[in-house]
Amino acid sequence: MATQKEDHTALDLIIKSLKSPTMVCEGTHFDGKIPHTFVIFGASGDLAKKKIYPTLWWLYRDDLLPKPTKFCGYARSSLTVDSLKEQCLPYMKVQSHEQKKYEEFWALNEYVSGRYDGRTGFELLNQQLELMENKNKANRIFYLALPPSVFEEVTVNIKQICMSVCGWNRVIIEKPFGRDDASSQALSDHLAALFHEDQLYRIDHYLGKEMVQNLMTIRFGNKILSSTWNRENIASVLITFKEPFGTQGRGGYFDEFGIIRDVMQNHLLQILSLVAMEKPVSCHPDDIRDEKVKVLKSIETLTLKDMVLGQYLGNPQGTTDDARTGYVEDPTVSDDSNTPTYALGVLKINNERWQGVPFILRCGKALNERKAEVRIQYQDVPGDIFEGSTKRNELVIRVQPGEALYFKMMTKSPGITFDIEETELDLTYEHRYKDSYLPDAYERLILDVFCGSQMHFVRSDELREAWRIFTPILHQIERERIRPITYQYGSRGPKEADRMCEENNFKYSGSYKWHGGKAATANL
Ligand SMILES: NC(=O)C1=CN([C@@H]2O[C@H](COP(=O)(O)OP(=O)(O)OC[C@H]3O[C@@H](n4cnc5c(N)ncnc54)[C@H](OP(=O)(O)O)[C@@H]3O)[C@@H](O)[C@H]2O)C=CC1
Ligand SMILES: O=C1O[C@H](COP(=O)(O)O)[C@@H](O)[C@H](O)[C@H]1O
């Protein structure tokens, strides 16, 4: 699979893509003359050790960061850079020939321990940053790998105490961006009082994935697709996220949010907006985000009749503890929790292009496989002359695993026959782009922050529209304690979901057989 490789020749491709004229945006390069300091709040936590430090190391290893860039962790735990280094090691993928550079990377790191409330810790941090920057002009990036409960005080302290005086300052924020429209708006207002929108980078890591970034090119770089991308040709659109594991004993966080807030309201809706938006005036981040907001504004508020909610039960035959444990049996989840671990929602876009085309979003945990994909299902061929044997064209954009784009179509069966059969035009990245390096989503996104490109980050008005669509249903589920339908761990989810797909013009025939390369399937 053409994903993360330790292959450095591939670096050229990234660097080339950064310089490419097609990546037109406000900031495609960084100022190499000014020092940069990257501050990680919550440096002792899971996200920092599993994602942020590894990403910074890979970017450093591949010489993609401006020189000099230094890194400073901040958290309450009393740690040293050495203990941080030890915690991160299992996730850093260091090769033996990279050892010297790896040590160089950690030599650029500092760690400050302090509280999130009160000024003292932040004053110490600022002193440390000034020391690292030799009191020179420097740009600062602040990454908030923190629980939302401390967002507000940390951002106030950053603003009052830790801002670079001469260089620029950028703040990266992780979801959850609130729990509903009101809390999200309160957070947006709070941040807007402290920072300009162009200083705020709200991460949705799905926007850093190869095939999600490819959606714009697929749509607007291909005449054949752009002219059929509408209600005259498309019957339905199905966007799916599946994970084959449950809460693994850490359901506490998930139970507060549920799958709609965790995946559907952000990752899947972002994909939808890229699939459904009109062509932006240019590739400038604000032109793109303007179009995303416009299409979101055309989406009707989701209602319960257009949803299927599920919650998984343990599978007594399961081979792992996780598989045998039902959601409510997780000790960190209450026995009567009605939090959905599976959700299907049918969104309706009330505009000239999409009126009447259902956009079906499905996501779930503890299912039969790991998969994220978009299926664009075309309408039946009118005026059939093949006695009902034609099947619908379907364009599948597989985000993961194994990036691919394939188009299901009908062909004459080869040989002395006039029978017809289903086949595909197949663009499997593993085959077509064998030697390509596909960076991890976080690598792309953190690099974008250095470059000042907000193209793949969520703007506050996008967020407002996203919460408008989902808040009523989220409140209703909580208020009326709607019970989700149970499904077994490792299954495809509730049967009712297939029924709702069918009712919404998504036809599954079960007749398609893929004869593609064995290597590809082996890797899936
Ligand atoms: N380039 C490549 O790598 C290519 C790979 N392939 C592979 O070939 C295989 C088949 O292709 P695919 O497009 O998935 O073929 P299908 O159209 O047969 O779709 C299969 C999918 O349909 C869903 N499904 C199963 N039962 C039902 C049901 N009763 N009602 C509705 N949906 C159902 C399942 O997904 P779900 O559980 O999500 O609903 C299943 O994965 C896949 O593994 C695909 O990855 C195909 C072409 C190219
Ligand atoms: O944001 C989230 O995404 C992950 C899945 O990310 P992926 O890149 O591995 O597909 C999901 O497990 C998590 O619950 C959710 O918060």
Side-chain angles (χ1 to χ4, degrees):
M1 190 182 5
T3 50
Q4 265 196 280
K5 287 187 191 142
E6 320 302 328
D7 173 7
H8 286 238
T9 55
L11 256 182
D12 299 343
L13 290 165
I14 306 182
I15 294 162
K16 217 163 78 201
S17 79
L18 280 173
K19 292 177 181 155
S20 152
T22 54
M23 194 181 156
V24 190
C25 50
E26 63 206 341
T28 51
H29 63 279
F30 33 69
D31 191 336
K33 295 192 202 87
I34 302 171
H36 289 68
T37 314
F38 195 102
V39 185
I40 305 114
F41 288 101
S44 56
D46 228 43
L47 179 67
K49 94 176 158 204
K50 290 186 180 154
K51 276 287 175 201
I52 312 308
Y53 277 106
T55 303
L56 293 170
W57 151 239
W58 298 326
L59 291 171
Y60 177 80
R61 175 198 68 189
D62 296 346
D63 291 325
L64 290 170
L65 296 179
K67 283 193 176 97
T69 297
K70 293 186 180 171
F71 314 93
C72 188
Y74 184 93
R76 287 175 309 182
S77 320
S78 123
L79 289 176
T80 59
V81 171
D82 278 343
S83 52
L84 205 55
K85 183 176 166 192
E86 203 179 309
Q87 282 184 16
C88 294
L89 186 64
Y91 308 99
M92 302 295 254
K93 300 187 193 155
V94 191
Q95 301 220 329
S96 51
H97 69 274
E98 294 164 350
Q99 203 55 46
K100 186 164 165 276
K101 202 157 188 182
Y102 187 61
E103 297 303 328
E104 270 170 36
F105 167 76
W106 280 106
L108 295 168
N109 272 270
E110 296 291 344
Y111 178 80
V112 175
S113 157
R115 294 161 60 115
Y116 295 120
D117 54 349
R119 294 176 62 92
T120 320
F122 289 82
E123 282 163 358
L124 276 176
L125 173 65
N126 195 48
Q127 282 163 22
Q128 178 63 57
L129 300 180
E130 285 177 353
L131 208 64
M132 292 163 77
E133 294 157 354
N134 293 324
K135 300 215 166 163
N136 288 326
K137 176 177 179 180
N139 297 327
R140 291 184 184 171
I141 297 175
F142 302 97
Y143 199 113
L144 271 63
L146 290 169
S149 50
V150 295
F151 266 21
E152 294 204 1
E153 49 206 340
V154 170
T155 44
V156 168
N157 281 323
I158 291 174
K159 173 72 181 185
Q160 291 181 349
I161 304 166
C162 295
M163 299 284 270
S164 166
V165 184
C166 307
W168 52 244
N169 294 275
R170 293 177 184 156
V171 182
I172 308 177
I173 305 165
E174 276 281 345
K175 77 173 171 75
F177 311 122
R179 318 181 20 85
D180 57 12
D181 51 5
S183 54
S184 174
Q185 192 57 47
L187 179 62
S188 290
D189 292 345
H190 168 83
L191 292 171
L194 298 173
F195 307 105
H196 292 292
E197 184 65 28
D198 64 8
Q199 294 179 300
L200 293 170
Y201 289 73
R202 295 178 192 82
I203 281 215
D204 181 317
H205 78 284
Y206 266 61
L207 291 177
K209 293 195 185 256
E210 178 68 27
M211 296 309 276
V212 176
Q213 296 199 344
N214 198 4
L215 284 167
M216 287 243 316
T217 318
I218 294 168
R219 287 197 53 198
F220 303 120
N222 294 294
K223 179 77 178 93
I224 196 155
L225 291 181
S226 59
S227 51
T228 59
W229 210 262
N230 51 41
R231 64 193 295 271
E232 281 77 40
N233 296 283
I234 292 174
S236 57
V237 175
L238 176 62
I239 305 177
T240 303
F241 165 97
K242 295 165 89 176
E243 257 178 3
F245 47 84
T247 51
Q248 300 175 318
R250 295 190 301 269
Y253 162 84
F254 186 86
D255 202 52
E256 258 187 67
F257 290 90
I259 197 76
I260 301 173
R261 291 184 177 97
D262 194 43
V263 173
M264 190 182 272
Q265 180 268 356
N266 37 70
H267 306 327
L268 297 193
L269 194 69
Q270 281 294 330
I271 295 178
L272 178 150
S273 61
L274 289 165
V275 170
M277 71 181 187
E278 295 301 311
K279 188 194 255 185
V281 175
S282 76
C283 288
H284 187 281
D286 274 330
D287 289 337
I288 295 168
R289 297 188 298 175
D290 285 349
E291 289 307 332
K292 285 165 78 184
V293 171
K294 241 162 75 188
V295 76
L296 290 174
K297 282 187 169 169
S298 304
I299 297 178
E300 292 171 19
T301 301
L302 192 55
T303 57
L304 202 54
K305 73 173 176 20
D306 289 321
M307 295 205 81
V308 174
L309 302 173
Q311 189 184 72
Y312 67 85
L313 297 172
N315 177 355
Q317 266 83 53
T319 53
T320 60
D321 279 347
D322 192 47
R324 285 186 293 270
T325 312
Y327 179 68
V328 292
E329 285 149 20
D330 179 326
T332 61
V333 171
S334 75
D335 294 347
D336 64 344
S337 168
N338 69 330
T339 302
T341 58
Y342 179 100
L344 178 149
V346 184
L347 294 184
K348 291 163 190 157
I349 306 180
N350 184 21
N351 69 13
E352 201 169 343
R353 184 184 293 275
W354 294 119
Q355 177 93 49
V357 180
F359 279 72
I360 309 164
L361 308 187
R362 295 189 296 180
C363 46
K365 300 244 173 204
L367 295 174
N368 60 333
E369 60 181 333
R370 173 172 184 251
K371 174 165 98 173
E373 65 177 23
V374 181
R375 285 179 193 256
I376 314 286
Q377 196 167 88
Y378 281 75
Q379 292 170 7
D380 295 315
V381 176
D384 174 41
I385 57 166
F386 297 108
E387 297 168 352
S389 49
T390 49
K391 299 284 158 41
R392 286 180 169 182
N393 291 144
E394 196 172 273
L395 176 67
V396 185
I397 301 156
R398 197 169 52 216
V399 175
Q400 64 187 33
E403 294 82 352
L405 186 147
Y406 55 99
F407 185 70
K408 294 188 197 163
M409 56 178 291
M410 302 304 299
T411 188
K412 182 183 109 36
S413 303
I416 310 178
T417 165
F418 199 60
D419 288 351
I420 66 172
E421 64 178 45
E422 294 169 272
T423 187
E424 69 283 318
L425 292 176
D426 177 9
L427 171 60
T428 302
Y429 273 45
E430 185 202 13
H431 300 150
R432 179 65 176 79
Y433 299 116
K434 248 194 208 87
D435 299 320
S436 292
Y437 172 83
L438 301 185
D440 176 76
Y442 275 91
E443 271 177 270
R444 298 171 201 252
L445 296 175
I446 289 184
L447 200 52
D448 279 348
V449 181
F450 277 92
C451 295
S453 169
Q454 292 186 306
M455 182 187 294
H456 306 298
F457 292 84
V458 183
R459 209 168 62 184
S460 62
D461 46 355
E462 283 179 78
L463 200 54
R464 192 161 49 241
E465 288 307 316
W467 282 118
R468 176 191 58 76
I469 295 165
F470 288 99
T471 296
I473 187 79
L474 287 164
H475 284 177
Q476 189 181 357
I477 293 168
E478 280 153 16
R479 197 177 51 244
E480 295 176 19
R481 293 205 49 77
I482 308 281
R483 293 305 316 172
I485 301 164
T486 52
Y487 62 95
Q488 195 172 70
Y489 189 112
S491 70
R492 291 185 52 255
K495 299 252 175 311
E496 288 77 353
D498 284 340
R499 218 170 296 140
M500 192 160 284
C501 287
E502 231 174 284
E503 285 162 12
N504 282 282
N505 210 3
F506 182 82
K507 279 195 192 169
Y508 170 73
S509 64
S511 55
Y512 172 72
K513 298 270 174 302
W514 188 50
H515 302 283
K518 283 201 174 86
T521 29
N523 276 333
L524 295 181

